[in-house]
């Protein structure tokens, strides 16, 4: 997004906001500073190829070797401790960095998770998940679940919510404080003379004038936090020692940008990142290998880069649905149902698989074809919001959702 286009969008979205939504000094009474990062794997990640029961006869019968994890050979998966009883659950061979996080006790994984009464349409499933609902009849909810989370937290930092990318996702729909940016250095609008001219245009006392000036002041304040050389040029971001995002790919670039933004001490509470390309109807083996490798390396680099924030950061990774148990005729998999979700952070009950695994026998499948949902995705989010982020309850976040017994992730 071009800078001028961004500013116009920012001014329009903030025009109806309360001016108190953005302030420079944190409220002394606001002690909750936990950062929630939501990484959405768009396209429907094949959870059974990412994390599969290597010794399950129904799994073996349904897929060729190149679309599952095996217990030996070319597609041998990475064995995990603390799995489901009697099941040899293994990670994809390209997920070694994820296994390292898992073995360290910082990563928890939940299989057979997703939208109950959901859809196998990308658009509908993503829309429901980002609005925090689980049924088409509730799709009229006006805002995103992260928008309602921010409102419940009432943060008073400079930059409470950021979507890394060109636009806000629907999880931040109608947010009055969220902004989108690709890089912190590009969150700008021309030279100082142009900004000064715009500030003069917003010298009135109407709400839109105050909002416009506040937006420009916010941009200016963030720009002053960027490291510069002796000539005033913005310097490239330097990760923590031993961390490199080089040659990872687009997700690595996005998470590197997020790390820089999070370290700017601007009151960031919620951040979203998208990683698409998981719609593997054809030639899944090569595409999926690349996707898993990039996801694993990027998350590993970001988590290590954010080492100083581990005690006050939680990362949730989810996808709109999984893929069908049986492979198709194009060496891929079609839209399914249950998938794999992840929670990453210091102090969680990591290093284990959570939720219920009912198996892949036909009587346990949804409509005899897909991995059935055993865990509603909102169960995971509710536990994170109440036990990590600082909310008292989630009634306003997930309307109509009756919280079942907690999974014990936290």
């Amino acid at each position: 997004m071009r800078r001028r286009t961004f500013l116009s969008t920012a001014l329009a979205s903030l025009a109806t906001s309360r001016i108190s939504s953005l302030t420079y000094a944190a409220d002394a009474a606001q002690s909750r500073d936990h950062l929630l990062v939501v990484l959405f794997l768009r396209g429907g990640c094949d959870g059974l190829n990412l994390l599969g029961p290597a010794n399950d006869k129904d799994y073996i019968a349904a897929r060729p070797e190149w679309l599952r994890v095996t217990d030996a050979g070319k597609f041998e998966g990475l064995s995990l401790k603390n799995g489901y009883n009697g099941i040899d659950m293994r990670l994809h061979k390209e997920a070694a960095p994820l296994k390292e996080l898992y073995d360290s006790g910082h990563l928890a994984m939940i299989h057979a998770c997703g939208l109950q009464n959901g859809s196998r349409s990308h658009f509908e499933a993503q829309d429901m998940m980002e609005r925090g609902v689980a049924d088409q009849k509730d799709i009229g909810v006006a805002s995103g679940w992260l928008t309602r989370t921010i409102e419940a937290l009432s943060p008073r930092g400079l930059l409470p919510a950021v979507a890394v990318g060109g636009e806000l996702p629907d999880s931040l729909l109608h947010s009055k404080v969220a902004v989108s940016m690709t890089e912190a250095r590009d969150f700008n609008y021309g030279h100082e003379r142009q900004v000064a001219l715009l500030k003069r245009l917003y010298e009135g006392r109407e709400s839109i004038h105050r909002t416009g000036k506040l937006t420009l002041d916010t941009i200016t304040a963030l720009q002053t936090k960027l490291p510069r050389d002796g000539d005033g040029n913005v310097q490239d971001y330097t990760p923590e020692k031993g961390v490199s995002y080089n040659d990872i790919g687009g997700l690595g670039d996005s998470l590197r940008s997020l790390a820089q933004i999070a370290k700017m001490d601007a009151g960031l509470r919620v951040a979203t990142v998208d990683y698409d390309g998981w719609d593997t109807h054809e030639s899944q083996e090569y595409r999926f290998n690349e996707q898993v490798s990039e996801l694993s390396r990027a998350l590993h680099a970001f988590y290590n880069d954010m080492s100083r924030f581990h005690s006050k950061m939680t990362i949730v990774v989810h996808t709109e649905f999984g893929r069908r148990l049986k492979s198709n005729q194009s060496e891929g998999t079609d839209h399914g149902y249950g998938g794999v979700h992840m929670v990453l952070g210091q102090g969680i009950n990591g290093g284990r698989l959570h939720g219920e695994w009912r198996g892949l026998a036909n009587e346990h499948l949804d409509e005899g074809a897909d991995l059935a949902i055993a865990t509603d995705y909102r169960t995971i989010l509710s536990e994170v919001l109440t036990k990590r982020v600082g909310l008292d309850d989630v009634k306003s976040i997930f309307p109509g959702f009756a919280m079942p017994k907690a999974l014990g992730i936290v």
Side-chain angles (χ1 to χ4, degrees):
M1 180 180 292
R2 298 177 61 186
R3 290 181 296 187
R4 289 167 176 76
T5 303
F6 166 79
L7 184 62
S8 299
T9 302
L11 291 175
S13 65
L14 289 171
T16 59
S17 72
R18 297 167 297 172
I19 297 304
S20 61
S21 294
L22 291 175
T23 59
Y24 296 137
D27 189 329
Q30 177 59 274
S31 60
R32 296 175 299 180
D33 59 352
H34 202 88
L35 170 60
L36 173 62
V37 178
V38 179
L39 172 57
F40 204 125
L41 309 183
R42 296 190 184 273
C45 172
D46 184 3
L48 290 171
N49 201 176
L50 176 62
L51 176 63
N55 62 345
D56 187 300
K57 61 181 180 63
D58 296 300
Y59 181 60
I60 294 170
R63 294 180 170 215
E65 283 190 337
W66 60 84
L67 291 181
R68 56 184 168 87
V69 292
T70 64
D71 56 9
K74 181 180 178 181
F75 303 99
E76 181 177 357
L78 308 173
S79 184
L80 296 181
K81 60 184 180 181
N82 300 322
Y84 302 113
N85 290 337
I87 307 298
D88 183 14
M89 298 297 291
R90 296 185 179 229
L91 269 175
H92 191 279
K93 64 178 183 176
E94 296 294 336
L98 287 183
K99 175 175 165 54
E100 181 179 321
L101 294 172
Y102 182 93
D103 289 341
S104 73
H106 288 224
L107 176 65
M109 307 184 77
I110 308 94
H111 218 318
C113 179
L115 279 161
Q116 291 183 326
N117 302 316
S119 167
R120 291 168 178 79
S121 157
H122 293 297
F123 177 80
E124 290 180 353
Q126 290 181 21
D127 200 18
M128 284 188 287
M129 185 171 286
E130 294 199 286
R131 291 172 188 262
V133 300
D135 199 293
Q136 278 294 105
K137 67 180 177 60
D138 299 318
I139 204 67
V141 172
S143 61
W145 74 270
L146 283 174
T147 297
R148 300 191 292 276
T149 297
I150 285 291
E151 290 173 349
L153 290 171
S154 298
R156 297 186 180 277
L158 176 66
L159 195 64
V162 166
V164 180
E167 59 185 22
L168 294 178
D170 282 350
S171 57
L172 287 167
L173 185 67
H174 297 316
S175 172
K176 298 174 182 178
V177 297
V179 298
S180 63
M181 67 176 81
T182 302
E183 291 190 57
R185 69 195 305 160
D186 293 333
F187 188 70
N188 200 355
Y189 192 72
H191 300 289
E192 291 181 7
R193 292 177 59 186
Q194 293 172 295
V195 174
L197 176 61
L198 283 168
K199 284 185 178 180
R200 287 199 293 272
L201 293 175
Y202 288 101
E203 287 179 349
R205 296 184 178 182
E206 299 296 326
S207 174
I208 191 170
H209 295 136
R210 297 194 304 271
T211 303
K213 184 177 183 300
L214 181 58
T215 302
L216 293 168
D217 287 344
T218 301
I219 291 172
T220 300
L222 287 175
Q223 287 296 310
T224 63
K225 291 177 175 289
L226 293 171
R228 298 177 184 270
D229 61 23
D231 296 323
N233 299 312
V234 177
Q235 295 181 306
D236 291 337
Y237 169 68
T238 302
E240 299 294 325
K241 184 177 180 180
V243 176
S244 174
Y245 294 92
N246 295 339
D247 303 321
I248 292 180
L251 179 60
D253 294 340
S254 294
L255 290 176
R256 176 176 53 199
S257 294
L258 176 55
Q260 180 179 24
I261 295 166
K263 294 177 182 180
M264 291 174 72
D265 191 25
L268 186 64
R269 298 296 310 278
V270 167
T272 67
V273 180
D274 285 347
Y275 181 35
D276 58 16
W278 296 92
D279 197 15
T280 51
H281 290 283
E282 300 176 344
S283 306
Q284 180 169 316
E285 178 190 345
Y286 173 76
R287 293 175 55 198
F288 196 79
N289 288 356
E290 292 292 320
Q291 293 283 115
V292 172
S293 175
E294 183 170 337
L295 170 65
S296 302
R297 290 183 295 135
L299 261 182
H300 188 272
F302 175 71
Y303 194 67
N304 286 328
D305 193 13
M306 294 289 288
S307 57
R308 292 185 285 115
F309 295 78
H310 282 181
S311 63
K312 54 182 180 180
M313 177 181 71
T314 303
I315 304 168
V316 174
V317 183
H318 59 192
T319 188
E320 67 263 34
F321 46 61
R323 317 294 293 188
R324 292 220 158 183
L325 170 59
K326 291 185 178 180
S327 57
N328 60 27
Q329 298 300 310
S330 300
E331 298 186 345
T333 51
D334 297 323
H335 299 178
Y337 207 13
V340 172
H341 293 218
M342 294 179 266
V343 178
L344 175 61
Q346 179 179 305
I348 69 166
N349 191 10
R352 63 179 58 250
L353 304 182
H354 292 266
E356 181 183 0
W357 179 259
R358 300 168 182 168
L360 299 173
N362 192 68
E363 62 268 23
H364 297 308
L365 298 178
D366 184 79
E367 297 182 354
D370 297 329
L371 179 64
I373 301 295
T375 301
D376 188 305
Y377 76 102
R378 295 170 296 180
T379 303
I380 299 169
L381 298 179
S382 297
E383 194 169 337
V384 168
L385 290 178
T386 55
K387 296 186 178 182
R388 297 281 287 185
V389 178
L391 295 185
D392 295 328
D393 62 61
V394 294
K395 293 178 182 177
S396 64
I397 313 301
F398 305 118
F401 175 59
M403 177 68 180
K405 181 181 178 181
L407 295 175
I409 297 171
V410 180

